Amino acid sequence: MSDHIRIVLVNTTHPGNIGGVARAMKNMGLSDLCLVSPKVFPHRDADARASGATDLLESAMVVDSLDEAIADCELVFGTSARERHIPWPLVDPRELAAIAAPLQGKAKVAILFGREDRGLTNEELQRCHHHVHIPAVDSFSSLNIAAAVQVITYELRMAALAEEPMNKPQWGTNWDIDLAEQRELELMFEHLERTLVKIDFLDPDNPRQLMPRLRRLLQRAVPDKIEVNVLRGILTAVERQLPPAPVKDDDDV
Amino acid sequence: MSDHIRIVLVNTTHPGNIGGVARAMKNMGLSDLCLVSPKVFPHRDADARASGATDLLESAMVVDSLDEAIADCELVFGTSARERHIPWPLVDPRELAAIAAPLQGKAKVAILFGREDRGLTNEELQRCHHHVHIPAVDSFSSLNIAAAVQVITYELRMAALAEEPMNKPQWGTNWDIDLAEQRELELMFEHLERTLVKIDFLDPDNPRQLMPRLRRLLQRAVPDKIEVNVLRGILTAVERQLPPAPVKDDDDV
């Protein structure tokens, strides 16, 4: 029912938690589990906590990098327990479900869960279109990772089961163009960064918050494929205007 | 905030699950935990899984019978994974929260969770005013007990928070930077269009849908003032890279 949802666990330390996640997912009708560099996996503790969901552990995709985990996803949510330096579009689990559930058959959605002790890094969070926060009490806000997956997958299932039509997001459903995949976005951001360096707008030695700000802006809009192509076309047109790079003397090498 | 809610665990087998329940409760702002004849308690596995919620384990009431656990409660819910012989008033976790959250200060509410392997007995379930069912998939419907407590306490917290104004950095409200005004956006789009013409990406005689597409993309993100300034800065940096415009002869006029 919700095969467009991928749960991505980044650098999980305790294999028991991976098992707990698999069980929570299977309870709620999900099956697409991806593990980015788990510390210990497979492991008997994972099997024990999975308690009948070992099929999800066996079919889990294990990859080395977050890039691989989300390359084919059009919409990426990152779980975040705390306020970040740059605020990011933030939803609660119910809002996440209202956005993601109707994308069944239309877009692949990844939901990222970070390390047990310190969550996702800022760089990982900046790869996300939206952040999702489970509204725990401020003084004790860190949920067990399997518990966090349980809450979010529960909301996805409630949304999928709801008979009344959900509020449609403005993109993704009834949109004219397919949404861009994450790898297309990454190539665009790399192209953008290169070009900004060439036009002396971005100083590689002092990048400040420029790329995060541009990522946040563009990802907030969840670009479609044509929009990404247009943006890359503009960057190429800018590059064509630039004077040729000076040929370096051998002495400079 | 929800001190009228008591979580009651009946004959729990694994102390780790008791710890997981304590953590879930504390995450969601609950503190009243009652254990009916736990098999092993206290235990280091409970402390480990509680992960900072050991205060709830220390203050937990341990009793011999369900009677003692719920004697002072006005409303009792029992969690049930499956249909029972005699249908009982059945709610989902959201409906439970809608009933129970407003009783703060008015009534004491107990929510019962049964054994890991077979839940609550029929006799125990018949002590309840309502049953609550978490809508798992039929073929794999048994949640871990800490996961079940997490879902239900999450719904209680969502219901409790619904009465408070949200405090989220959605863009537009509580964002770090003021949103751009429409006139600032228009100046940016004019600047963008001029620059695209200069770099030969936009043909003024055949503009097609380029500017509408770029408007749609950027306006969808609802840019803030700094983002608009960054974009205009990039356009200015591009313009600085361009060769000077040719001086027109009078003959051309």
Side-chain angles (χ1 to χ4, degrees):
Chain A
M1 148 188 314
S2 296
D3 54 8
H4 65 305
I5 307 286
R6 175 175 301 157
I7 300 297
V8 179
L9 307 185
V10 180
N11 292 167
T12 311
T13 301
H14 300 297
N17 282 333
I18 298 174
V21 166
R23 180 175 180 178
M25 288 174 63
K26 189 168 178 178
N27 282 144
M28 296 295 127
L30 301 190
S31 61
D32 188 347
L33 173 62
C34 181
L35 308 174
V36 180
S37 298
K39 190 160 177 186
V40 189
F41 184 84
H43 190 276
R44 61 181 180 282
D45 288 355
D47 294 341
R49 287 275 299 279
S51 184
T54 43
D55 53 328
L56 265 71
L57 296 179
E58 283 156 17
S59 66
M61 182 165 65
V62 182
V63 297
D64 292 327
S65 70
L66 181 58
D67 279 332
E68 294 170 74
I70 61 176
D72 61 339
C73 295
E74 284 90 355
L75 186 60
V76 181
F77 292 89
T79 49
S80 172
R82 51 198 188 280
E83 291 293 316
R84 299 290 169 164
H85 186 58
I86 303 183
W88 217 259
L90 186 67
V91 296
D92 67 30
R94 193 162 302 162
E95 292 165 332
L96 177 154
I99 294 168
L103 295 176
Q104 168 77 28
K106 303 188 180 76
K108 186 88 190 170
V109 178
I111 309 174
L112 315 186
F113 296 81
R115 298 146 194 86
E116 284 94 335
D117 55 347
R118 57 203 166 84
L120 296 166
T121 65
N122 281 332
E123 188 186 65
E124 287 159 353
L125 282 165
Q126 287 167 9
R127 304 293 296 278
C128 301
H129 298 89
H130 301 272
H131 293 169
V132 54
H133 175 68
I134 298 174
V137 298
D138 290 338
S139 57
F140 191 70
S141 64
S142 174
L143 271 70
N144 168 268
I145 183 173
V149 169
Q150 184 69 69
V151 164
I152 287 173
T153 57
Y154 159 79
E155 283 285 10
L156 286 165
R157 184 160 172 81
M158 289 290 279
L161 291 173
E163 287 183 354
E164 54 276 357
M166 305 299 299
N167 285 334
K168 281 182 185 172
Q170 50 187 328
W171 30 255
T173 57
N174 295 326
W175 195 245
D176 54 344
I177 309 293
D178 285 344
L179 297 183
E181 297 176 15
Q182 195 66 23
R183 62 185 140 211
E184 296 169 312
L185 286 181
E186 286 309 314
L187 291 171
M188 179 192 73
F189 284 124
E190 288 167 20
H191 195 170
L192 176 60
E193 187 167 5
R194 277 199 309 277
T195 309
L196 293 178
V197 170
K198 286 183 190 169
I199 66 172
D200 296 326
F201 188 75
L202 172 60
D203 177 358
D205 297 326
N206 182 22
R208 294 180 299 177
Q209 296 295 319
L210 182 61
M211 288 309 299
R213 283 196 184 280
L214 289 168
R215 274 181 174 277
R216 182 177 74 168
L217 170 67
L218 288 168
Q219 290 182 150
R220 209 158 70 220
V222 193
D224 66 37
K225 286 179 190 296
I226 284 193
E227 289 164 344
V228 167
N229 284 342
V230 166
L231 292 173
R232 295 202 61 175
I234 292 172
L235 295 173
T236 300
V238 167
E239 289 174 312
R240 272 200 295 265
Q241 300 292 325
L242 299 176
V247 178
K248 288 189 176 181
D249 291 340
D250 285 350
D251 293 350
D252 289 334
V253 178
Chain B
M1 144 189 318
S2 296
D3 54 8
H4 65 305
I5 307 285
R6 175 176 302 160
I7 300 297
V8 179
L9 307 185
V10 180
N11 292 167
T12 310
T13 301
H14 299 297
N17 282 332
I18 299 174
V21 166
R23 180 174 180 178
M25 289 175 60
K26 189 168 177 177
N27 283 144
M28 295 296 126
L30 301 191
S31 59
D32 188 347
L33 173 62
C34 180
L35 308 174
V36 179
S37 297
K39 191 162 176 184
V40 188
F41 184 83
H43 190 275
R44 63 180 180 282
D45 288 354
D47 294 340
R49 288 274 299 281
S51 185
T54 44
D55 52 328
L56 265 71
L57 296 179
E58 283 157 16
S59 66
M61 182 166 62
V62 182
V63 298
D64 292 327
S65 69
L66 181 57
D67 279 333
E68 294 170 74
I70 61 177
D72 61 338
C73 295
E74 283 91 356
L75 185 60
V76 181
F77 293 89
T79 50
S80 172
R82 52 195 188 280
E83 289 297 314
R84 297 291 168 164
H85 185 58
I86 304 181
W88 218 256
L90 187 65
V91 296
D92 67 28
R94 194 164 302 164
E95 292 164 334
L96 178 153
I99 295 167
L103 296 176
Q104 167 78 31
K106 301 188 181 78
K108 186 86 189 172
V109 178
I111 309 174
L112 315 186
F113 295 82
R115 299 147 194 86
E116 285 93 336
D117 55 348
R118 54 200 170 86
L120 296 165
T121 65
N122 281 332
E123 187 185 66
E124 288 159 353
L125 281 165
Q126 289 165 11
R127 305 290 298 278
C128 301
H129 298 88
H130 300 270
H131 294 169
V132 54
H133 175 67
I134 298 173
V137 299
D138 291 339
S139 58
F140 192 71
S141 64
S142 174
L143 272 69
N144 168 267
I145 184 172
V149 169
Q150 183 71 68
V151 165
I152 287 174
T153 57
Y154 159 78
E155 283 284 11
L156 286 164
R157 183 159 172 83
M158 289 290 278
L161 289 174
E163 322 221 330
E164 299 174 9
M166 300 303 285
N167 179 28
K168 294 190 307 176
Q170 289 280 9
W171 65 102
T173 59
N174 294 324
W175 194 244
D176 54 341
I177 310 293
D178 285 344
L179 295 184
E181 296 174 16
Q182 196 62 28
R183 62 185 145 204
E184 295 169 310
L185 285 181
E186 288 307 316
L187 289 172
M188 180 191 71
F189 285 125
E190 288 168 18
H191 194 171
L192 176 61
E193 186 166 6
R194 277 200 309 277
T195 308
L196 293 177
V197 169
K198 286 183 190 169
I199 65 172
D200 295 327
F201 188 77
L202 173 62
D203 177 359
D205 296 327
N206 182 21
R208 294 181 300 176
Q209 294 297 316
L210 182 61
M211 287 310 298
R213 283 196 183 279
L214 289 168
R215 275 183 174 278
R216 184 177 71 165
L217 170 66
L218 288 168
Q219 290 181 154
R220 210 157 70 222
V222 194
D224 66 37
K225 287 179 189 293
I226 283 191
E227 290 165 342
V228 166
N229 284 342
V230 166
L231 292 174
R232 296 203 61 176
I234 292 172
L235 296 172
T236 300
V238 167
E239 289 175 313
R240 272 200 296 264
Q241 301 290 328
L242 299 177
V247 178
K248 290 187 176 183
D249 290 343
D250 284 353
D251 292 351
D252 290 333
V253 175

